[in-house]
Each structure stands twice: as C-alpha cells, then as structure tokens.
Amino acid sequence: MPLNKQIAVQRLVKNEHTIRAMIRNEEQAKAFKTIGIETRHADLEGSVEEIVEAARGCDAFVFTAGSGGHTGADKTILIDLDGAAKSIEAATILGVNQFIMVSAIHANKRENWGSMKYYMTAKHHADKILEQSDLTYTIIRPGGLLNEPGTGNVSIAEDLPTSTIPREDVAKTILATLTKENTFNRSFDLVSGEDQVSDALNRV
C-alpha cells in the first residue's frame, strides 16, 4: 500500500521545505492547493521527459508512489518498477542531489516475499536500480502502513521482523533523512518501536 503523498508533503511543509508535488489529475491538485503546495502534472506511465519537466529545479526526489492494493501485476510493474526507474533516470538527467525511495519491508530478501511476489519483485528491482545509479540515495523499507496518528517512536535496522507503522511516522523519517548524512547511500527497514526517529537514524 503506497504512502499517502499528502501526509509526507504536510510534514515537509511544516519544516519549511519548499515542496512540489507531482500529480496525475486535477482532483489531486485541489487537495494540495488547499495547503499552498505547488503541483505539476506528470504520469509515471508516461515519458521520462514528462517527469523531467515536472521536476525541473528540484534538488531532491521523494518517491512514494505505488499502484495500490486493488490493481493487477501489470500496474505494479508499470508504477512501482518502471515508474520508479523513470524517476531515477529523470533525477539523473537533472543532476538532482538526493533521491529518497519509499520501498517495502523485506523487499531486499526474496525468502520473505510470501504471497506478494509481484509487488515485492517490483520494489526489489526498483531499489536495485537506485543503488546502481550515481544518485545519493536513501531507501526506506516501511512495514505495513497505518492511518492512525504517528507516535514519533520507531525501530530502524537492516533487517526487522514484519510489523506496522503509521504513515505519519514514515513521513517524519523521510524528512529526517534529507539532512542526516549517515543515511546517505544506505537502506533500512522501518517499523514502530521505542526510539525517537532522530535517535534511531543516528544508528543506521
């Protein structure tokens, strides 16, 4: 299940980052307009050039897109894998400084994929494409996403048991990784836990 983009954007805005949201349709634009966020139309199933134009002038990418739980394998490949690959290519063309990928817990471990093999395969190979690029990256692999309020307390490690985490706490972690250099070119699992986000990230 994809991270709610609006939650991530709201968290970034509160911390005085200048944000631009990439959206597919005007209905999405209305939600962002109410909180004063600039939007650009682009489709992850479209061309790389379309994404380049939408992201021109940005110094960081945060990829939270997902095909959702009600689509078939075709959309999973087109959005979660090829859409991510196009975004990585666009960021490379633009010379973007940083790329943060929101992946999925255990995407790096095939033995833990269970029944979600199409989805996990897409996430796994999108992460690999990013790791093999020249971009400064952080790959965050959250557990099952919850709509409840965040607690600010998380567990972060290379390999964690499957668990859950509020979307708001994932957004808080995304924000922190923008400036924590020890998370650059690193990947990790993320679930609810006992540590404040900043403290947990210090141990990555």
Side-chain angles (χ1 to χ4, degrees):
M1 187 181 295
L3 177 68
N4 184 300
K5 187 187 297 182
Q6 192 168 353
I7 292 174
V9 166
Q10 286 172 333
R11 171 67 65 174
L12 291 165
V13 168
K14 286 179 182 178
N15 286 269
E16 299 183 349
H17 288 269
T18 301
I19 306 300
R20 181 186 302 160
M22 195 181 93
I23 58 171
R24 293 188 311 276
N25 56 57
E26 190 58 35
E27 190 61 34
Q28 292 176 308
K30 292 176 184 177
F32 289 109
K33 192 175 294 184
T34 61
I35 55 175
I37 300 302
E38 178 188 5
T39 59
R40 294 284 178 87
H41 288 80
D43 190 337
L44 291 175
E45 294 185 57
S47 67
V48 172
E49 290 73 21
E50 188 178 348
I51 300 172
V52 167
E53 290 308 311
R56 193 174 294 282
C58 295
D59 57 15
F61 263 68
V62 178
F63 189 90
T64 67
S67 56
H70 303 292
T71 60
D74 56 341
K75 286 293 184 183
T76 300
I77 296 300
L78 290 171
I79 300 298
D80 297 82
L81 176 52
D82 196 43
K86 288 174 183 173
S87 298
I88 293 164
E89 185 175 344
T92 302
I93 290 169
L94 290 167
V96 166
N97 297 332
Q98 197 172 0
F99 197 110
I100 297 174
M101 176 77 81
V102 179
S103 182
I105 194 167
H106 300 155
N108 60 327
K109 294 185 178 295
R110 288 186 175 94
E111 63 270 24
N112 294 333
W113 288 358
S115 62
M116 299 179 65
K117 288 186 177 179
Y118 281 115
Y119 175 75
M120 299 300 280
T121 297
K123 291 297 186 187
H124 175 83
H125 288 287
D127 295 350
K128 287 294 184 185
I129 291 168
L130 180 56
E131 289 172 342
Q132 292 164 9
S133 75
D134 292 327
L135 299 171
T136 297
Y137 67 84
T138 303
I139 298 171
I140 302 171
R141 299 187 297 264
L145 299 173
L146 304 175
N147 291 322
E148 62 193 44
T151 66
N153 295 323
V154 301
S155 289
I156 291 173
E158 178 64 27
D159 187 15
L160 290 171
T162 300
S163 189
T164 58
I165 184 168
R167 285 174 165 82
E168 187 177 350
D169 287 337
V170 180
K172 187 172 184 178
T173 305
I174 291 170
L175 171 66
T177 61
L178 285 167
T179 54
K180 277 194 173 292
E181 293 188 8
N182 67 301
T183 69
F184 295 177
N185 297 324
R186 300 296 298 275
S187 62
F188 51 84
D189 292 346
L190 171 69
V191 298
S192 291
E194 300 298 325
D195 298 318
Q196 290 289 304
V197 168
S198 182
D199 293 338
L201 284 173
N202 284 340
R203 295 193 290 273
V204 167

